[in-house]
Amino acid sequence: MSSLQPVRGTHDLLPEEARRHRLVEETAFAVARRYGYGEIATPIFEFTEVFARTLGETSDVVTKEMYTFPDRSGESLTLRPEGTAGVARAFISGGLAQHLPLKVFYRGPMFRHERPQKGRLRQFHQVGCELLGVDSPLADVEVVAMAWRMLVTLGLGDKVQLEINTLGDADSRIAYRNALIAYLDPFRLSLSEESQARLDRNPLRVLDSKDEEDRRVVAGAPLMTDSLTPAARAFFEQVTGGLTALGVPFVVNSRLVRGLDYYSHTAFEFTTTALGAQGTVLAGGRYDGLIATMGGPATPGIGWAAGVERLAMLVETPPVGERPVAVIPMGDAVKALAVAETLRAAGMAVELGFSGNMKKRMARADKAGARLAVILGEDEAARGAVTLRDLDGGTQEEVPLAALVERLSGRG
């Protein structure tokens, strides 16, 4: 072993940061419950085909970023790089079509072998939701509104911007694909090698290129909105109209796309500049063709996923929570431990002072944020009592040991 450091791209969640992570996850779950979502937990690894088929054989995630390995039987397994594919697989293998519409929420670690950067790790965490079985634009409105409600509840309403676009229906995408190829083909030799390959297989993914020359070429490309069918245009107008009616602020970003064919209609991202350069903290969209692509029944779907690390960097660190009671043994330590256990059994948080003189133990109680100290000395023990000290006000009183739980519960 060369060092006892975390593997590059991984990160220890120490208590303060863990509290922010928990705040993000629990807030997201609480909001999801208000919208009628139940929790789902899929395995951290799946057969590689689950992700190769859903993310696209030529996507960067599949070709460059997945952690893929053979198991002992020779099967190819992959640590999940995102959550939607596992939910779609569970929908098919679990025979959940009879439970439509299905609304599920998930949370947990994901894995991608990419360059670590601020708020982006190789083991990272996401919260996300999927709504399956509803093809109405009202579903899109509600899903986006739920994401907005979650961000507002976290206190981030003024730190994020909702960008939204339409990818149209199948006919719109065919028309746009043809228009995009006609525009890009004269620039073929100016494009990066990767974009040249994408131009033949999936031209929409050229629009996602980070190459500077590609971006210059793409700047003049036609827009999806120019190729929309009347039905697709009406769908998008219902989505934007619904968001306006709910008071969800947004801007239309006509360059926002999803490269895979099973995506349709609504695509959206919440971005922020509060972490430096503009970055996405939550992204989602409609994927009506995904489950059929995986071999399941044709099932409309829409969902989103948010990066917990990035959101945790934006929120305030929450308080520790319930302030504990400090039990300070100055005599029989076993009896003090028994007192601590009695209080814990009654539902109280208890910090036990294990060693040191009175001053040191009280200092540790103060550092732990204790509100009260239960001091158990030899004299108090002989009388079957304890000294109860208010660490905020400085007052103290003697309380019979038998009445301690009642006293601390506010009933005595």
Side-chain angles (χ1 to χ4, degrees):
M1 182 180 296
S2 59
S3 67
L4 291 176
Q5 299 297 316
V7 175
R8 185 168 186 258
T10 65
H11 181 58
D12 297 314
L13 283 178
L14 300 180
E16 180 175 332
E17 188 176 357
R19 291 205 304 277
R20 294 199 302 273
H21 271 239
R22 183 169 293 276
L23 173 66
V24 171
E25 290 192 355
E26 291 185 350
T27 298
F29 192 24
V31 170
R33 284 199 300 267
R34 290 182 220 160
Y35 285 75
Y37 285 72
E39 188 168 14
I40 188 172
T42 61
I44 285 179
F45 55 86
E46 301 266 3
F47 289 117
T48 300
E49 182 184 14
V50 169
F51 302 113
R53 293 179 67 176
T54 57
L55 297 173
E57 297 280 1
T58 61
S59 70
D60 285 349
V61 175
V62 172
T63 60
K64 301 176 183 178
E65 298 173 3
M66 293 202 317
Y67 282 95
T68 298
F69 56 94
D71 70 0
R72 293 185 178 182
S73 63
E75 297 279 6
S76 179
L77 305 180
T78 294
L79 297 176
R80 63 186 183 193
E82 54 89 46
T84 302
V87 172
R89 192 271 311 147
F91 173 81
I92 297 170
S93 63
L96 299 179
Q98 60 187 341
H99 298 291
L100 293 175
L102 182 66
K103 303 168 86 170
V104 293
F105 169 88
Y106 63 84
R107 50 185 165 181
M110 310 292 168
F111 305 85
R112 293 189 187 185
H113 191 282
E114 56 183 345
R115 184 174 65 84
Q117 52 187 293
K118 187 176 183 180
R120 194 180 298 277
L121 300 167
R122 290 176 175 176
Q123 177 180 319
F124 58 101
H125 298 77
Q126 284 187 341
V127 291
C129 71
E130 313 295 347
L131 170 55
L132 303 178
V134 182
D135 59 7
S136 166
L138 291 180
D140 303 48
V141 175
E142 185 181 82
V143 165
V144 176
M146 185 173 82
W148 170 244
R149 180 61 49 204
M150 185 264 287
L151 294 169
V152 168
T153 304
L154 285 170
L156 304 180
D158 61 346
K159 294 183 179 180
V160 297
Q161 170 72 66
L162 169 59
E163 300 178 12
I164 193 166
N165 192 27
T166 177
L167 306 176
D169 52 20
D171 288 343
S172 303
R173 288 175 68 84
I174 291 172
Y176 182 58
R177 187 179 190 278
N178 292 337
L180 189 59
I181 291 174
Y183 169 80
L184 291 174
D185 200 52
F187 298 100
R188 179 182 293 269
L189 297 181
S190 299
L191 297 173
S192 65
E193 183 176 337
E194 189 171 49
S195 288
Q196 289 182 41
R198 287 174 172 175
L199 180 55
D200 294 322
R201 295 192 302 263
N202 196 337
L204 267 69
R205 299 206 58 237
V206 177
L207 303 177
D208 288 329
S209 175
K210 302 299 186 289
D211 181 88
E212 287 300 321
E213 181 61 21
D214 289 352
R215 293 167 73 93
R216 187 189 65 77
V217 170
V218 163
L223 301 176
M224 170 64 81
T225 49
D226 298 330
S227 299
L228 292 179
T229 64
R233 192 176 301 278
F235 190 104
F236 190 52
E237 288 173 354
Q238 290 182 67
V239 173
T240 55
L243 293 174
T244 300
L246 295 183
V248 179
F250 65 89
V251 296
V252 175
N253 177 358
S254 299
R255 295 294 183 191
L256 180 61
V257 298
R258 298 285 187 269
L260 301 177
D261 288 340
Y262 54 73
Y263 283 108
S264 61
H265 293 298
T266 310
F268 61 94
E269 294 182 355
F270 284 88
T271 61
T272 185
T273 57
L275 299 175
Q278 184 182 44
T280 302
V281 296
L282 184 153
R286 178 167 282 279
Y287 47 84
D288 288 352
L290 172 61
I291 290 175
T293 297
M294 296 179 69
T299 307
I302 183 171
W304 54 257
V308 175
E309 278 79 7
R310 290 200 149 197
L311 291 177
M313 293 170 68
L314 295 173
V315 301
E316 298 291 333
T317 301
V320 173
E322 178 188 358
R323 295 177 66 188
V325 173
V327 173
I328 311 294
M330 297 308 297
D332 188 339
V334 174
K335 182 170 289 188
L337 180 59
V339 170
E341 285 300 294
T342 298
L343 297 180
R344 288 165 177 155
M348 300 176 205
V350 178
E351 184 75 20
L352 182 64
F354 286 101
S355 62
N357 58 30
M358 181 70 163
K359 182 178 179 180
K360 288 183 177 179
R361 294 189 199 207
M362 293 301 292
R364 281 197 292 271
D366 185 61
K367 185 177 181 180
R371 58 189 176 93
L372 298 166
V374 176
I375 303 170
L376 189 64
E378 296 288 357
D379 292 342
E380 291 98 331
R383 293 192 298 273
V386 298
T387 296
L388 183 62
R389 181 178 297 179
D390 183 331
L391 296 180
D392 292 335
T395 60
Q396 66 181 43
E397 61 181 304
E398 190 169 284
V399 178
L401 191 54
L404 183 60
V405 170
E406 186 177 22
R407 174 70 179 79
L408 292 180
S409 299
R411 300 191 299 269

